[in-house]
């Protein structure tokens, strides 16, 4: 990364994550096709729902014939973490118009958020619309295209789990976590590890008592509160 906030720099810096979108998009398309969903519906879900984890959940719930209300609620709860991410990003775009903020917030992903947070370390804590919008659109188009290709490849792969494709999303999040830990110099490394440890423990305990659809949101909120308290109290 460098300190430039241009379209060209965004394209270069987004490229490594695009390969991640392609890998997970292919996996999603293959899993969706194996579950009996048409390539058209798989692609439309990527264009409209546009939420990696929630799309995997939607597919699994469709297969089990879950009620539509449950599917919509589950997708909303899983994607609700984007509200927190958008809130975190909002202060950096206060001078932009409402429309531009809506566009950025509507297309932000875990990966583009992580990339933006890392970029702050090189730009004196600044971001702009051109850079972040380019990052978002690269992700959006790569995800949709990969989903379609995966759905078409799904005609030849009847058992995605056999190839470990259901683990693709998890592996990408692990990679993003590693990049965040080594790149973000604004937060002490020990504090970051402490929060990661808290998330692991909270998830392990929470999965016993909290429905899986709510677990991500609850653990995210608890981890944010824990991190803030620990930072101000001990770091």
């Amino acid at each position: 990364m460098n300190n430039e906030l241009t379209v060209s720099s965004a394209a270069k810096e987004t490229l490594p994550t695009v390969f991640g979108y392609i890998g997970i998009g292919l996996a999603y398309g293959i899993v969706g096709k194996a579950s009996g969903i048409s390539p058209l519906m798989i692609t439309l879900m990527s264009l409209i729902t546009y939420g990696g984890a929630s799309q995997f959940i939607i597919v699994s719930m469709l297969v089990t014939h879950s009620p539509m209300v449950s599917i919509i609620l589950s997708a909303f709860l899983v994607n609700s973490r984007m509200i927190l991410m958008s809130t975190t990003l909002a202060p950096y775009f206060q001078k932009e118009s409402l429309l531009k903020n809506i566009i950025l917030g509507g297309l932000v992903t875990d990966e583009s958020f992580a990339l933006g947070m890392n970029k702050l370390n090189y730009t004196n804590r600044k971001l702009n619309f051109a850079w972040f919008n380019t990052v978002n659109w690269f992700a959006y188009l790569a995800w949709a295209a990969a989903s379609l290709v995966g759905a078409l490849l799904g005609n030849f792969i009847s058992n995605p789990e056999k190839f470990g494709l259901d683990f693709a999303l998890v592996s990408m999040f692990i990679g993003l976590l590693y990049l965040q830990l080594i790149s973000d110099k604004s937060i002490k490394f020990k504090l970051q590890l402490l929060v990661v440890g808290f998330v692991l423990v909270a998830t392990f305990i929470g999965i016993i008592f909290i429905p899986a659809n709510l677990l991500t949101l609850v653990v995210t909120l608890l981890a944010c509160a824990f991190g803030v308290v620990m930072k101000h109290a001990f770091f």
Side-chain angles (χ1 to χ4, degrees), residues 77-106:
L77 289 173
V78 172
N79 280 348
S80 60
R81 68 190 187 280
M82 300 303 171
I83 298 174
L84 298 175
M85 294 181 186
S86 297
T87 302
T88 302
L89 289 169
Y92 301 103
F93 300 98
Q94 289 180 341
K95 295 182 179 180
E96 302 292 352
S97 67
L98 176 61
L99 177 60
K100 288 185 176 180
N101 275 273
I102 291 174
I103 292 172
L104 292 179

Side-chain angles (χ1 to χ4, degrees), residues 5 85-96 101 104 113 116-117 119-121 123-129 132 184 186:
L5 287 169
M85 294 181 186
S86 297
T87 302
T88 302
L89 289 169
Y92 301 103
F93 300 98
Q94 289 180 341
K95 295 182 179 180
E96 302 292 352
N101 275 273
L104 292 179
F113 175 79
M117 292 297 99
K119 185 68 173 180
L120 290 173
N121 296 309
T123 60
N124 194 26
R125 313 303 294 176
K126 294 180 181 178
L127 292 173
N128 66 16
F129 177 80
F132 209 93
D184 194 345
S186 63

Side-chain angles (χ1 to χ4, degrees), residues 43 72 89 101 108 125 131 161 167 196 222 224 226:
T43 306
I72 294 173
L89 289 169
N101 275 273
V108 70
R125 313 303 294 176
W131 184 89
E161 289 81 6
F167 190 70
V196 171
L222 289 176
C224 289
F226 175 79

Side-chain angles (χ1 to χ4, degrees), residues 12-78:
K12 294 176 183 178
E13 290 160 356
T14 309
L15 188 58
T17 63
V18 167
F19 291 110
Y21 290 117
I22 292 173
I24 298 176
L26 289 173
Y28 158 70
I30 293 171
V31 170
K33 187 64 176 66
S35 300
I37 302 175
S38 69
L40 175 60
M41 292 302 294
I42 289 171
T43 306
L44 286 176
M45 196 184 300
S46 289
L47 290 171
I48 299 172
T49 305
Y50 189 45
S54 63
Q55 287 180 229
F56 278 92
I57 291 172
I58 290 171
V59 168
S60 65
M61 294 184 75
L62 287 174
V63 171
T64 57
H65 304 288
S66 299
M68 188 57 62
V69 174
S70 298
I71 295 175
I72 294 173
L73 181 60
S74 298
F76 171 76
L77 289 173
V78 172

